[in-house]
Every structure is written in structure tokens, then in C-alpha cells.
């Protein structure tokens, strides 16, 4: 018997679709076949949610419980396979779609944790993991420069979105959908601003000594 799909589920499918599309764009940049498109789209789209469910002990994981998430990944892969050539800069598109997916996923991850009764710290951590793991996995598998290692703010955007959603959920002054939109908006503005204006956080400026320097100082011996 078919069940009606709730508005929340549609939003979740949309978030998975967008994030999965970034995996398919990587496959396009690498000029891979359709199977590779499907694979990269799937690990990107459901990677973060899978890790979140494993961490929270929510079994079966999201895509086993609801195969609709796999269908969303497949739809993204096929769509990008036939349309990616229309975009002049696929990497720029990838980064902006990744920003949208990150904004949606940090809220989805935090909400799942809170729904299961976990505290705010766990909610924030799972929000960040859900938002970033799929993109990291995508880049590692495809041999792409990791989006995590770019100088612009990335994890901080997911952290901000998860914190805002968790606080608004705790206060409970607005409907859940409003809290989700506001929190996702915060994450997207921060990540989008980082892409547009190269926002960064202060970096560690002191490097450790090289192996040669350590050998000269007698701290390590000659081989």
C-alpha cells in the first residue's frame, strides 16, 4: 500500500538529490561512465546520513529503511549525466551545490539526533558529520582536492547551522520548519559568503621542524 510522502520527506529527498548531484559532477569532471555517476552520487548523497545513523545506533540506516533516498541519488546521477555539459564551470557549480547540501544536511543531522532524544552537543556533532562526511568521501574516492582542505570556511558553516537549529529547537518558539529554514539559511550564507568573498578563519602559522632539521639537531639519527 502506498503511503503519502510528507513535506519533511520531500525536503529530505531534495537535500539528498542536491548533494548527490555534486558526486555526479565529480564523475563528469573525470569523464566517467554512468555506473560511476551512480556510485559517486550515492556515496555523496547518503554517506553523511549513513554515518549519522551508525553513530546514533539508528537501525536500519536511512536508505535501507527508505529506498527513496537511493532513488533520489539515482535521479541526480542520471540528470547530471545528461546535462553537465551545459555548464561552463562544473567545479564552481559543484561548490555551490555542495553549499546547499551542506546547509540542508547540518539541519537534518541535528534534527535526527534530537528526535531520538540525544542532547544538544550530540545533535551539533551529528549535524556537522552529516553535512561534511559525504563530500569528504566523494573527494577521497574520486581523487579530487578535498573541499575540506580549501582555505574558505567550510566545517564552520555546518557547525553554525547545527548550533542555530539546536538552539531554536530547545527554545521552541517557532515551528520546526521555520527553525530548519533559518538554520539552513545561516549555514548557506556563511558557506556562500566564504565562496564569494573568500572568508577564512585564522590559520596556524608556525610549522614544525623538518626531518632534516631534526636530524641536524641530533633528535633523530641518520638511517
Amino acid at each position: 500500500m502506498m503511503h503519502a510522502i510528507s513535506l519533511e520527506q520531500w525536503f529530505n529527498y531534495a537535500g539528498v538529490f542536491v548533494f548527490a548531484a555534486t558526486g555526479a559532477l565529480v564523475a563528469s569532471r573525470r569523464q566517467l561512465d554512468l555506473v560511476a555517476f551512480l556510485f559517486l552520487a550515492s556515496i555523496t548523497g547518503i554517506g553523511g546520513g549513513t554515518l549519522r545513523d551508525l553513530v546514533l545506533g539508528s537501525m536500519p540506516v536511512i536508505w535501507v529503511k527508505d529506498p527513496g533516498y537511493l532513488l533520489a541519488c539515482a535521479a541526480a546521477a542520471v540528470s547530471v549525466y545528461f546535462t553537465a555539459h551545459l555548464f561552463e564551470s562544473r567545479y564552481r557549480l559543484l561548490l555551490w551545490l555542495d553549499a546547499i547540501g551542506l546547509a540542508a544536511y547540518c539541519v537534518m543531522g541535528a534534527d535526527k539526533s534530537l528526535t531520538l532524544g540525544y542532547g544538544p552537543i550530540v545533535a551539533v556533532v551529528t549535524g556537522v558529520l552529516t553535512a561534511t562526511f559525504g563530500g569528504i568521501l566523494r573527494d577521497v574516492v574520486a581523487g579530487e582536492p578535498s573541499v575540506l582542505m580549501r582555505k574558505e570556511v567550510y566545517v564552520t558553516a555546518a557547525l553554525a547551522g547545527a548550533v542555530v537549529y539546536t538552539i531554536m529547537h530547545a527554545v521552541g518558539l517557532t515551528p520546526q520548519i521555520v527553525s530548519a529554514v533559518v538554520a539552513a539559511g545561516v549555514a548557506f550564507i556563511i558557506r556562500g559568503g566564504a565562496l564569494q568573498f573568500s572568508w577564512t578563519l585564522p590559520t596556524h602559522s608556525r610549522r614544525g621542524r623538518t626531518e632534516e632539521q631534526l636530524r641536524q639537531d641530533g633528535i633523530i639519527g641518520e638511517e
Side-chain angles (χ1 to χ4, degrees):
M1 181 177 179
M2 297 291 292
H3 296 282
I5 300 176
S6 67
L7 181 62
E8 180 183 356
Q9 279 182 298
W10 279 118
F11 277 121
N12 289 341
Y13 290 150
V16 169
F17 180 95
V18 170
F19 229 166
T22 70
L25 279 170
V26 170
S28 173
R29 281 164 48 79
R30 293 288 184 177
Q31 297 182 304
L32 303 177
D33 60 29
L34 181 57
V35 174
F37 272 71
L38 292 166
F39 179 74
L40 282 170
S42 296
I43 65 172
T44 308
I46 62 177
T50 300
L51 177 63
R52 175 202 62 207
D53 289 352
L54 291 173
V55 169
L56 296 177
S58 177
M59 297 297 177
V61 295
I62 185 171
W63 53 272
V64 175
K65 188 181 302 182
D66 182 359
Y69 291 101
L70 288 175
L71 294 178
C73 293
V78 173
S79 299
V80 173
Y81 184 82
F82 288 107
T83 63
H85 65 282
L86 301 176
F87 299 96
E88 183 177 353
S89 176
R90 297 176 203 178
Y91 188 61
R92 190 69 177 168
L93 178 62
L94 184 157
L95 291 176
W96 280 102
L97 288 179
D98 186 89
I100 296 172
L102 178 143
Y105 270 41
C106 69
V107 172
M108 292 164 60
D111 179 71
K112 180 67 172 287
S113 182
L114 293 168
T115 300
L116 293 175
Y118 290 95
I121 294 178
V122 175
V124 170
V125 171
T126 53
V128 172
L129 289 177
T130 306
T132 59
F133 184 72
I136 295 170
L137 189 61
R138 170 199 67 211
D139 295 339
V140 170
V141 170
E144 288 278 303
S146 176
V147 70
L148 182 65
M149 302 308 292
R150 289 174 61 92
K151 291 184 178 181
E152 301 97 359
V153 167
Y154 186 71
V155 175
T156 305
L159 177 63
V163 168
V164 169
Y165 182 78
T166 301
I167 291 174
M168 294 184 73
H169 181 276
V171 175
L173 296 180
T174 59
Q176 182 182 18
I177 186 64
V178 175
S179 299
V181 170
V182 170
V186 168
F188 180 74
I189 288 172
I190 294 175
R191 178 56 182 157
L195 290 174
Q196 189 68 30
F197 305 109
S198 299
W199 292 346
T200 61
L201 293 176
T203 58
H204 186 67
S205 58
R206 297 187 62 182
R207 298 182 61 184
R209 286 182 288 178
T210 65
E211 182 178 347
E212 181 62 29
Q213 290 171 328
L214 292 173
R215 187 173 288 113
Q216 291 175 355
D217 293 339
I219 296 176
I220 60 175
E222 298 287 344
E223 293 183 358

